Amino acid sequence: MGSSSAAARLPAAADASRRRDEFTALRNLDAQKAWLVARGIPNPYFPLHEGTAGAHTRIGGHDLINFSSYNYLGLNGDPAVNDAAKAAIDVYGTTVSASRIVSGERPLHRELEQQLAVFTGTEDALTFVSGHGTNVTVISDLVGPGDIVFHDAAIHNSALLGAKLSGAKRVPFSHNKPEKLAGLLERHRPAYRRALILVEGVYSMDGDPCDLPGFVALKRQHEAWLMVDEAHSLGVLGATGRGVREHFGLAADEVDLWMGTLSKAFASCGGFVAGRHSLIETLRYFTPGFMFSVGLPPPAAARALAALYKLTAEPARARLVRARADLFRDLAREHGWSIGLSRDSAIVPLIVGNSEKALRLSAALMAAGINVQPIVYPGVAHRQARLRFFFCCDHTEAEIRQAASAVTDALRQL
Ligand SMILES: Cc1ncc(COP(=O)(O)O)c(C=O)c1O
């Protein structure tokens, strides 16, 4: 009803063009679905998990070893984390019903932000209801026309959207190459007021950590802000899971803004930024996606907090998840499989060379009791089509070996 009445207000030409676009997208989607059906390949999207997904899951009545969850630390489903969420519901209910600035503030929000600041070694932190939304609203608010954003060519869609929305000039640089960024900074930086460099702690497509020391040196030299998205590095990298700064032994204040999600290692939903108090306080009072949006639901805040306490008490979880991924990387190298740039992280791509092969391999592994999602064109170039393995500290060594041998068998049969 809402959308049809909005459509009724559109000028006729705009409405027609929107509908054409909609139909084009739908036609393309239908063509892709028909392509799958013609080849007898099951549609791999929107798989329906019938329980808590971690190292294991259940899909279509089958128990599977699961390599398609960001539940890196096995904390989604952890009894203490579940209990914390239930207790928060009993006290505060299921929503705070308002933006925190007006009447949505609860003690759990403050405790979570204090603990995130402690964990990340920063002065302050601020949480948002979506990880994706955090990047969009924070980046688009931090910079604007007259500023410049330099971002890794492989940066996540959320950061890219934030940069586009900001109205700042946008300059991508070759993936994880500070030396390429250096030249671009020299050329463009002087003409702009503020400069922001955007990188990720670990890149989700390839599982490679960013060259943080290289980017820190450049941000200092060129008086730029540096923002690091730690969606896939916090909780995983470093001796105690404190992310890419612990991995490289750097101080937290070498980076202006740390960004993280609560949906992955922290078993919840939402995002946060952490950094110096003055910057975080400014975002707290001015960022639209915080000011004009509801605060984290109490059970979500409680889950993230309980997960954070659990990781602090059991830092070995971070080392364990990396050890599991390392074992798979070693096995992949022994077999001569291409794993791209993956190292040190909990993400290992298996690059198979074309989209159809990736889809078929994923389907064959599913039949062998292993859930691993394919990434195909246009998500990546055809030749870069891959399966992406996400590891969990609850995977056993035997399961990693079982997965590798299932890949060997499936590749032989394809
Ligand atoms: C690098 C990166 N940043 C941000 C996000 C968005 O986080 P969320 O899914 O918690 O909204 C993701 C999601 O996968 C991500 O990979």
Side-chain angles (χ1 to χ4, degrees), residues 11-27:
D15 187 28
S17 137
R18 184 181 64 83
R19 278 166 194 272
R20 249 196 322 274
D21 288 350
E22 206 172 90
F23 291 142
T24 307
L26 195 61
R27 264 199 304 274

Side-chain angles (χ1 to χ4, degrees), residues 110-125:
R110 296 193 183 177
E111 188 181 349
L112 175 59
E113 287 168 356
Q114 276 164 8
Q115 290 306 318
L116 284 168
V118 169
F119 190 75
T120 53
T122 55
E123 291 174 3
D124 205 352

Side-chain angles (χ1 to χ4, degrees), residues 70 72 129-135 154-159 200-205 229-232 259-264 268-271 347 388:
Y70 301 133
Y72 294 126
V129 284
S130 150
H132 188 282
T134 302
N135 274 337
I155 203 80
H156 190 259
N157 166 273
S158 53
E200 286 177 34
V202 160
Y203 287 88
S204 63
M205 248 345 140
D229 178 336
E230 288 236 83
H232 299 278
M259 179 272 169
T261 69
L262 301 175
S263 64
K264 299 179 171 56
S268 183
C269 186
I347 304 171
R388 250 187 338 168

